[in-house]
Amino acid sequence: MMTFADVVSKSGDSVLESYAYAEGHLQLVLVLGENDQKVALSLPTDHLAFAGYALARAERAYRTCFLALEDLSQVLCVENGVYVPAPDFGQLMQQTRANYHLAYGKKAAEWTHVLSLVGYGRLASCLVANVGEITVVEVAG
């Protein structure tokens, strides 16, 4: 059985086959680049960002990506228990391009990570409250 950590470590040059969001859950279906194994990830989240232009393209190159799980406490400042944007305009723009803005104003104790599909820019990003709630299911080819 493949774990989420296994998927992250094998996700280089993966292809996003499909994605869906319904009833508070994001589902991502990836074909892992290392061995063409298909997996479905599911996680609860309410905070999402999608790169509509890249995801609407049929070409495989636009959907080629890897998974990045980042600890928000390492990339954002926390004041009074909530994430705040960088005071410097340049840093603010970098945070926005990395979709860290999803966490602005959110409680640091509640939302700990941001999960992104990184390829032709950030294809999709979402806030993660508990990494342990991310499920992985291997899908038959």
Side-chain angles (χ1 to χ4, degrees):
M1 180 174 177
M2 188 174 281
T3 67
F4 175 67
D6 294 334
V7 173
V8 171
S9 69
K10 296 176 182 181
S11 70
D13 291 331
S14 293
V15 176
L16 175 63
E17 186 171 280
S18 66
Y19 62 98
Y21 180 77
E23 299 176 5
H25 275 77
L26 174 64
Q27 182 168 343
L28 305 167
V29 178
L30 294 170
V31 178
L32 300 179
E34 185 175 286
N35 57 7
D36 287 334
Q37 183 175 13
K38 191 184 296 188
V39 295
L41 302 174
S42 180
L43 65 143
T45 188
D46 292 326
H47 309 288
L48 308 156
F50 293 101
Y53 173 79
L55 293 173
R57 307 288 296 217
E59 296 90 346
R60 182 180 173 109
Y62 284 97
R63 291 175 173 259
T64 300
C65 59
F66 65 90
L67 284 170
L69 181 69
E70 298 170 276
D71 184 336
L72 287 167
S73 69
Q74 300 298 309
V75 295
L76 291 177
C77 294
V78 177
E79 289 182 17
N80 298 318
V82 298
Y83 296 110
V84 295
D88 174 73
F89 180 74
Q91 289 176 326
L92 172 67
M93 295 308 296
Q94 289 176 344
Q95 290 176 352
T96 302
R97 281 191 294 276
N99 288 333
Y100 300 153
H101 68 284
L102 293 170
Y104 295 164
K106 305 291 187 286
K107 292 181 182 181
E110 188 175 331
W111 299 99
T112 58
H113 291 80
V114 63
L115 176 66
S116 295
L117 295 174
V118 182
Y120 187 77
R122 300 263 169 163
L123 300 179
S125 296
C126 67
L127 294 185
V128 177
N130 181 351
V131 176
E133 292 181 342
I134 300 173
T135 62
V136 177
V137 176
E138 296 178 43
V139 179

mmCIF file with all atom_site columns, all heavy atoms in Angstrom, residues 10 13-15 30-39 60 139-141:
data_model
loop_
_atom_site.group_PDB
_atom_site.id
_atom_site.type_symbol
_atom_site.label_atom_id
_atom_site.label_alt_id
_atom_site.label_comp_id
_atom_site.label_asym_id
_atom_site.label_entity_id
_atom_site.label_seq_id
_atom_site.pdbx_PDB_ins_code
_atom_site.Cartn_x
_atom_site.Cartn_y
_atom_site.Cartn_z
_atom_site.occupancy
_atom_site.B_iso_or_equiv
_atom_site.pdbx_formal_charge
_atom_site.auth_seq_id
_atom_site.auth_comp_id
_atom_site.auth_asym_id
_atom_site.auth_atom_id
_atom_site.pdbx_PDB_model_num
ATOM 1   N N   . LYS A 1 10  ? 7.728  10.112 -5.147  1.00 0.00 ? 10  LYS A N   1
ATOM 2   C CA  . LYS A 1 10  ? 7.724  9.569  -6.505  1.00 0.00 ? 10  LYS A CA  1
ATOM 3   C C   . LYS A 1 10  ? 6.985  10.458 -7.495  1.00 0.00 ? 10  LYS A C   1
ATOM 4   O O   . LYS A 1 10  ? 6.752  10.056 -8.632  1.00 0.00 ? 10  LYS A O   1
ATOM 5   C CB  . LYS A 1 10  ? 7.064  8.180  -6.503  1.00 0.00 ? 10  LYS A CB  1
ATOM 6   C CG  . LYS A 1 10  ? 7.827  7.159  -5.697  1.00 0.00 ? 10  LYS A CG  1
ATOM 7   C CD  . LYS A 1 10  ? 7.103  5.840  -5.638  1.00 0.00 ? 10  LYS A CD  1
ATOM 8   C CE  . LYS A 1 10  ? 7.884  4.858  -4.787  1.00 0.00 ? 10  LYS A CE  1
ATOM 9   N NZ  . LYS A 1 10  ? 7.262  3.556  -4.714  1.00 0.00 ? 10  LYS A NZ  1
ATOM 10  N N   . ASP A 1 13  ? 7.726  14.608 -12.346 1.00 0.00 ? 13  ASP A N   1
ATOM 11  C CA  . ASP A 1 13  ? 7.268  14.356 -13.717 1.00 0.00 ? 13  ASP A CA  1
ATOM 12  C C   . ASP A 1 13  ? 5.965  13.561 -13.778 1.00 0.00 ? 13  ASP A C   1
ATOM 13  O O   . ASP A 1 13  ? 5.752  12.779 -14.702 1.00 0.00 ? 13  ASP A O   1
ATOM 14  C CB  . ASP A 1 13  ? 8.336  13.652 -14.552 1.00 0.00 ? 13  ASP A CB  1
ATOM 15  C CG  . ASP A 1 13  ? 9.515  14.558 -14.845 1.00 0.00 ? 13  ASP A CG  1
ATOM 16  O OD1 . ASP A 1 13  ? 9.316  15.789 -14.920 1.00 0.00 ? 13  ASP A OD1 1
ATOM 17  O OD2 . ASP A 1 13  ? 10.633 14.047 -15.000 1.00 0.00 ? 13  ASP A OD2 1
ATOM 18  N N   . SER A 1 14  ? 5.122  13.751 -12.802 1.00 0.00 ? 14  SER A N   1
ATOM 19  C CA  . SER A 1 14  ? 3.801  13.121 -12.829 1.00 0.00 ? 14  SER A CA  1
ATOM 20  C C   . SER A 1 14  ? 2.870  13.932 -13.714 1.00 0.00 ? 14  SER A C   1
ATOM 21  O O   . SER A 1 14  ? 3.149  15.078 -14.037 1.00 0.00 ? 14  SER A O   1
ATOM 22  C CB  . SER A 1 14  ? 3.210  13.057 -11.414 1.00 0.00 ? 14  SER A CB  1
ATOM 23  O OG  . SER A 1 14  ? 3.954  12.179 -10.612 1.00 0.00 ? 14  SER A OG  1
ATOM 24  N N   . VAL A 1 15  ? 1.762  13.318 -14.082 1.00 0.00 ? 15  VAL A N   1
ATOM 25  C CA  . VAL A 1 15  ? 0.767  14.011 -14.903 1.00 0.00 ? 15  VAL A CA  1
ATOM 26  C C   . VAL A 1 15  ? -0.556 14.017 -14.147 1.00 0.00 ? 15  VAL A C   1
ATOM 27  O O   . VAL A 1 15  ? -1.018 12.968 -13.684 1.00 0.00 ? 15  VAL A O   1
ATOM 28  C CB  . VAL A 1 15  ? 0.595  13.325 -16.283 1.00 0.00 ? 15  VAL A CB  1
ATOM 29  C CG1 . VAL A 1 15  ? -0.515 13.990 -17.077 1.00 0.00 ? 15  VAL A CG1 1
ATOM 30  C CG2 . VAL A 1 15  ? 1.907  13.361 -17.051 1.00 0.00 ? 15  VAL A CG2 1
ATOM 31  N N   . LEU A 1 30  ? -3.375 11.299 -10.217 1.00 0.00 ? 30  LEU A N   1
ATOM 32  C CA  . LEU A 1 30  ? -2.061 11.508 -10.819 1.00 0.00 ? 30  LEU A CA  1
ATOM 33  C C   . LEU A 1 30  ? -1.528 10.216 -11.410 1.00 0.00 ? 30  LEU A C   1
ATOM 34  O O   . LEU A 1 30  ? -1.725 9.140  -10.844 1.00 0.00 ? 30  LEU A O   1
ATOM 35  C CB  . LEU A 1 30  ? -1.049 11.970 -9.762  1.00 0.00 ? 30  LEU A CB  1
ATOM 36  C CG  . LEU A 1 30  ? -1.250 13.318 -9.113  1.00 0.00 ? 30  LEU A CG  1
ATOM 37  C CD1 . LEU A 1 30  ? -0.291 13.457 -7.935  1.00 0.00 ? 30  LEU A CD1 1
ATOM 38  C CD2 . LEU A 1 30  ? -1.017 14.424 -10.105 1.00 0.00 ? 30  LEU A CD2 1
ATOM 39  N N   . VAL A 1 31  ? -0.821 10.340 -12.524 1.00 0.00 ? 31  VAL A N   1
ATOM 40  C CA  . VAL A 1 31  ? -0.038 9.233  -13.069 1.00 0.00 ? 31  VAL A CA  1
ATOM 41  C C   . VAL A 1 31  ? 1.398  9.552  -12.695 1.00 0.00 ? 31  VAL A C   1
ATOM 42  O O   . VAL A 1 31  ? 1.971  10.535 -13.193 1.00 0.00 ? 31  VAL A O   1
ATOM 43  C CB  . VAL A 1 31  ? -0.223 9.103  -14.592 1.00 0.00 ? 31  VAL A CB  1
ATOM 44  C CG1 . VAL A 1 31  ? 0.645  7.974  -15.118 1.00 0.00 ? 31  VAL A CG1 1
ATOM 45  C CG2 . VAL A 1 31  ? -1.682 8.883  -14.946 1.00 0.00 ? 31  VAL A CG2 1
ATOM 46  N N   . LEU A 1 32  ? 1.947  8.764  -11.774 1.00 0.00 ? 32  LEU A N   1
ATOM 47  C CA  . LEU A 1 32  ? 3.283  9.038  -11.264 1.00 0.00 ? 32  LEU A CA  1
ATOM 48  C C   . LEU A 1 32  ? 4.316  8.832  -12.348 1.00 0.00 ? 32  LEU A C   1
ATOM 49  O O   . LEU A 1 32  ? 4.328  7.811  -13.036 1.00 0.00 ? 32  LEU A O   1
ATOM 50  C CB  . LEU A 1 32  ? 3.586  8.149  -10.052 1.00 0.00 ? 32  LEU A CB  1
ATOM 51  C CG  . LEU A 1 32  ? 2.638  8.334  -8.867  1.00 0.00 ? 32  LEU A CG  1
ATOM 52  C CD1 . LEU A 1 32  ? 3.012  7.388  -7.736  1.00 0.00 ? 32  LEU A CD1 1
ATOM 53  C CD2 . LEU A 1 32  ? 2.629  9.772  -8.383  1.00 0.00 ? 32  LEU A CD2 1
ATOM 54  N N   . GLY A 1 33  ? 5.221  9.796  -12.476 1.00 0.00 ? 33  GLY A N   1
ATOM 55  C CA  . GLY A 1 33  ? 6.215  9.785  -13.537 1.00 0.00 ? 33  GLY A CA  1
ATOM 56  C C   . GLY A 1 33  ? 7.225  8.669  -13.443 1.00 0.00 ? 33  GLY A C   1
ATOM 57  O O   . GLY A 1 33  ? 7.732  8.191  -14.448 1.00 0.00 ? 33  GLY A O   1
ATOM 58  N N   . GLU A 1 34  ? 7.514  8.218  -12.232 1.00 0.00 ? 34  GLU A N   1
ATOM 59  C CA  . GLU A 1 34  ? 8.555  7.217  -12.049 1.00 0.00 ? 34  GLU A CA  1
ATOM 60  C C   . GLU A 1 34  ? 8.186  5.860  -12.640 1.00 0.00 ? 34  GLU A C   1
ATOM 61  O O   . GLU A 1 34  ? 8.997  5.178  -13.231 1.00 0.00 ? 34  GLU A O   1
ATOM 62  C CB  . GLU A 1 34  ? 8.858  7.071  -10.555 1.00 0.00 ? 34  GLU A CB  1
ATOM 63  C CG  . GLU A 1 34  ? 10.008 6.149  -10.261 1.00 0.00 ? 34  GLU A CG  1
ATOM 64  C CD  . GLU A 1 34  ? 10.348 6.142  -8.793  1.00 0.00 ? 34  GLU A CD  1
ATOM 65  O OE1 . GLU A 1 34  ? 10.936 7.130  -8.326  1.00 0.00 ? 34  GLU A OE1 1
ATOM 66  O OE2 . GLU A 1 34  ? 10.030 5.137  -8.126  1.00 0.00 ? 34  GLU A OE2 1
ATOM 67  N N   . ASN A 1 35  ? 6.912  5.462  -12.484 1.00 0.00 ? 35  ASN A N   1
ATOM 68  C CA  . ASN A 1 35  ? 6.529  4.120  -12.930 1.00 0.00 ? 35  ASN A CA  1
ATOM 69  C C   . ASN A 1 35  ? 5.164  4.071  -13.609 1.00 0.00 ? 35  ASN A C   1
ATOM 70  O O   . ASN A 1 35  ? 4.610  2.999  -13.789 1.00 0.00 ? 35  ASN A O   1
ATOM 71  C CB  . ASN A 1 35  ? 6.551  3.155  -11.738 1.00 0.00 ? 35  ASN A CB  1
ATOM 72  C CG  . ASN A 1 35  ? 5.639  3.617  -10.621 1.00 0.00 ? 35  ASN A CG  1
ATOM 73  O OD1 . ASN A 1 35  ? 4.891  4.579  -10.774 1.00 0.00 ? 35  ASN A OD1 1
ATOM 74  N ND2 . ASN A 1 35  ? 5.702  2.932  -9.504  1.00 0.00 ? 35  ASN A ND2 1
ATOM 75  N N   . ASP A 1 36  ? 4.608  5.203  -13.979 1.00 0.00 ? 36  ASP A N   1
ATOM 76  C CA  . ASP A 1 36  ? 3.297  5.312  -14.621 1.00 0.00 ? 36  ASP A CA  1
ATOM 77  C C   . ASP A 1 36  ? 2.180  4.676  -13.793 1.00 0.00 ? 36  ASP A C   1
ATOM 78  O O   . ASP A 1 36  ? 1.166  4.245  -14.321 1.00 0.00 ? 36  ASP A O   1
ATOM 79  C CB  . ASP A 1 36  ? 3.306  4.711  -16.032 1.00 0.00 ? 36  ASP A CB  1
ATOM 80  C CG  . ASP A 1 36  ? 4.053  5.586  -17.017 1.00 0.00 ? 36  ASP A CG  1
ATOM 81  O OD1 . ASP A 1 36  ? 4.134  6.811  -16.781 1.00 0.00 ? 36  ASP A OD1 1
ATOM 82  O OD2 . ASP A 1 36  ? 4.540  5.065  -18.028 1.00 0.00 ? 36  ASP A OD2 1
ATOM 83  N N   . GLN A 1 37  ? 2.370  4.638  -12.486 1.00 0.00 ? 37  GLN A N   1
ATOM 84  C CA  . GLN A 1 37  ? 1.334  4.126  -11.598 1.00 0.00 ? 37  GLN A CA  1
ATOM 85  C C   . GLN A 1 37  ? 0.319  5.239  -11.352 1.00 0.00 ? 37  GLN A C   1
ATOM 86  O O   . GLN A 1 37  ? 0.676  6.387  -11.117 1.00 0.00 ? 37  GLN A O   1
ATOM 87  C CB  . GLN A 1 37  ? 1.947  3.676  -10.279 1.00 0.00 ? 37  GLN A CB  1
ATOM 88  C CG  . GLN A 1 37  ? 0.950  3.071  -9.329  1.00 0.00 ? 37  GLN A CG  1
ATOM 89  C CD  . GLN A 1 37  ? 1.642  2.545  -8.084  1.00 0.00 ? 37  GLN A CD  1
ATOM 90  O OE1 . GLN A 1 37  ? 2.800  2.830  -7.818  1.00 0.00 ? 37  GLN A OE1 1
ATOM 91  N NE2 . GLN A 1 37  ? 0.909  1.776  -7.307  1.00 0.00 ? 37  GLN A NE2 1
ATOM 92  N N   . LYS A 1 38  ? -0.954 4.899  -11.398 1.00 0.00 ? 38  LYS A N   1
ATOM 93  C CA  . LYS A 1 38  ? -2.015 5.871  -11.197 1.00 0.00 ? 38  LYS A CA  1
ATOM 94  C C   . LYS A 1 38  ? -2.487 5.816  -9.752  1.00 0.00 ? 38  LYS A C   1
ATOM 95  O O   . LYS A 1 38  ? -2.756 4.743  -9.221  1.00 0.00 ? 38  LYS A O   1
ATOM 96  C CB  . LYS A 1 38  ? -3.190 5.589  -12.133 1.00 0.00 ? 38  LYS A CB  1
ATOM 97  C CG  . LYS A 1 38  ? -4.219 6.703  -12.177 1.00 0.00 ? 38  LYS A CG  1
ATOM 98  C CD  . LYS A 1 38  ? -5.417 6.365  -13.047 1.00 0.00 ? 38  LYS A CD  1
ATOM 99  C CE  . LYS A 1 38  ? -5.051 6.182  -14.489 1.00 0.00 ? 38  LYS A CE  1
ATOM 100 N NZ  . LYS A 1 38  ? -6.260 6.049  -15.347 1.00 0.00 ? 38  LYS A NZ  1
ATOM 101 N N   . VAL A 1 39  ? -2.566 7.003  -9.122  1.00 0.00 ? 39  VAL A N   1
ATOM 102 C CA  . VAL A 1 39  ? -3.037 7.100  -7.743  1.00 0.00 ? 39  VAL A CA  1
ATOM 103 C C   . VAL A 1 39  ? -4.069 8.214  -7.639  1.00 0.00 ? 39  VAL A C   1
ATOM 104 O O   . VAL A 1 39  ? -4.044 9.182  -8.389  1.00 0.00 ? 39  VAL A O   1
ATOM 105 C CB  . VAL A 1 39  ? -1.891 7.370  -6.744  1.00 0.00 ? 39  VAL A CB  1
ATOM 106 C CG1 . VAL A 1 39  ? -0.923 6.214  -6.680  1.00 0.00 ? 39  VAL A CG1 1
ATOM 107 C CG2 . VAL A 1 39  ? -1.185 8.665  -7.051  1.00 0.00 ? 39  VAL A CG2 1
ATOM 108 N N   . ARG A 1 60  ? -0.179 17.419 -22.608 1.00 0.00 ? 60  ARG A N   1
ATOM 109 C CA  . ARG A 1 60  ? 0.367  16.761 -21.420 1.00 0.00 ? 60  ARG A CA  1
ATOM 110 C C   . ARG A 1 60  ? 1.366  17.658 -20.684 1.00 0.00 ? 60  ARG A C   1
ATOM 111 O O   . ARG A 1 60  ? 1.438  17.643 -19.457 1.00 0.00 ? 60  ARG A O   1
ATOM 112 C CB  . ARG A 1 60  ? 1.010  15.443 -21.850 1.00 0.00 ? 60  ARG A CB  1
ATOM 113 C CG  . ARG A 1 60  ? 1.578  14.628 -20.739 1.00 0.00 ? 60  ARG A CG  1
ATOM 114 C CD  . ARG A 1 60  ? 2.201  13.340 -21.296 1.00 0.00 ? 60  ARG A CD  1
ATOM 115 N NE  . ARG A 1 60  ? 2.889  12.614 -20.259 1.00 0.00 ? 60  ARG A NE  1
ATOM 116 C CZ  . ARG A 1 60  ? 2.473  11.485 -19.747 1.00 0.00 ? 60  ARG A CZ  1
ATOM 117 N NH1 . ARG A 1 60  ? 1.376  10.925 -20.197 1.00 0.00 ? 60  ARG A NH1 1
ATOM 118 N NH2 . ARG A 1 60  ? 3.151  10.884 -18.798 1.00 0.00 ? 60  ARG A NH2 1
ATOM 119 N N   . VAL A 1 139 ? -4.964 3.253  -8.280  1.00 0.00 ? 139 VAL A N   1
ATOM 120 C CA  . VAL A 1 139 ? -6.025 3.069  -9.264  1.00 0.00 ? 139 VAL A CA  1
ATOM 121 C C   . VAL A 1 139 ? -5.511 2.141  -10.359 1.00 0.00 ? 139 VAL A C   1
ATOM 122 O O   . VAL A 1 139 ? -4.380 2.296  -10.836 1.00 0.00 ? 139 VAL A O   1
ATOM 123 C CB  . VAL A 1 139 ? -6.437 4.432  -9.875  1.00 0.00 ? 139 VAL A CB  1
ATOM 124 C CG1 . VAL A 1 139 ? -7.515 4.259  -10.921 1.00 0.00 ? 139 VAL A CG1 1
ATOM 125 C CG2 . VAL A 1 139 ? -6.874 5.398  -8.772  1.00 0.00 ? 139 VAL A CG2 1
ATOM 126 N N   . ALA A 1 140 ? -6.341 1.202  -10.770 1.00 0.00 ? 140 ALA A N   1
ATOM 127 C CA  . ALA A 1 140 ? -5.963 0.294  -11.852 1.00 0.00 ? 140 ALA A CA  1
ATOM 128 C C   . ALA A 1 140 ? -5.782 1.080  -13.134 1.00 0.00 ? 140 ALA A C   1
ATOM 129 O O   . ALA A 1 140 ? -6.555 1.974  -13.440 1.00 0.00 ? 140 ALA A O   1
ATOM 130 C CB  . ALA A 1 140 ? -7.030 -0.787 -12.039 1.00 0.00 ? 140 ALA A CB  1
ATOM 131 N N   . GLY A 1 141 ? -4.724 0.726  -13.873 1.00 0.00 ? 141 GLY A N   1
ATOM 132 C CA  . GLY A 1 141 ? -4.346 1.421  -15.104 1.00 0.00 ? 141 GLY A CA  1
ATOM 133 C C   . GLY A 1 141 ? -5.375 1.388  -16.128 1.00 0.00 ? 141 GLY A C   1
ATOM 134 O O   . GLY A 1 141 ? -5.600 2.138  -16.967 1.00 0.00 ? 141 GLY A O   1
#
